[in-house]
Amino acid sequence: LTQRLAELPKNELLMVIVPLALLHLLALAVGAAAGGYLVGRFGSGTTVREPMLAGGVVALMAITLTVGSGALASALVTGSAIFLVAVGCAALGGKRGLKKKDKSAPVADG
């Protein structure tokens, strides 16, 4: 498979890689938003900062896996996209979770 991909012309290679990359970013966005929602909704004494931090940690883990498998310029572009999607979607999910938080529920002391 790697050899056949290497033999493809640039425009055909982009038509294969771009949709796959977008699907991975979509999965990351959904996962980060869901995680941010859970942190915001059920976290004790949370603000939007905590879901963003969780998204940042996930982004750093994904970037670490990406850097080990490619060129530096490609890793920087990919890493930036991963970081923006993970942190941004976690923040949006966290805001939504904070809005849904039951204000009458007792808060556990941290």
Side-chain angles (χ1 to χ4, degrees):
L1 179 63
T2 305
Q3 183 181 4
R4 285 192 176 172
L5 285 174
E7 293 171 356
L8 285 176
K10 291 280 187 189
N11 60 347
E12 289 182 25
L13 184 61
L14 284 176
M15 289 187 343
V16 171
I17 291 177
V18 169
L20 291 175
L22 291 177
L23 285 175
H24 282 90
L25 278 177
L26 177 64
L28 176 64
V30 170
Y37 177 84
L38 290 174
V39 171
R41 172 92 161 89
F42 299 109
S44 175
T46 56
T47 62
V48 177
R49 186 179 345 154
E50 287 79 14
M52 286 177 66
L53 180 63
V57 170
V58 168
L60 289 177
M61 291 172 24
I63 291 168
T64 302
L65 293 173
T66 303
V67 168
S69 65
L72 182 61
S74 145
L76 288 174
V77 171
T78 305
S80 300
I82 289 170
F83 190 80
L84 290 173
V85 167
V87 173
C89 289
L92 291 174
K95 281 184 184 179
R96 183 133 173 111
L98 285 168
K99 286 181 184 177
K100 294 284 185 175
K101 185 177 275 200
D102 185 9
K103 303 297 182 192
S104 64
V107 177
D109 291 330

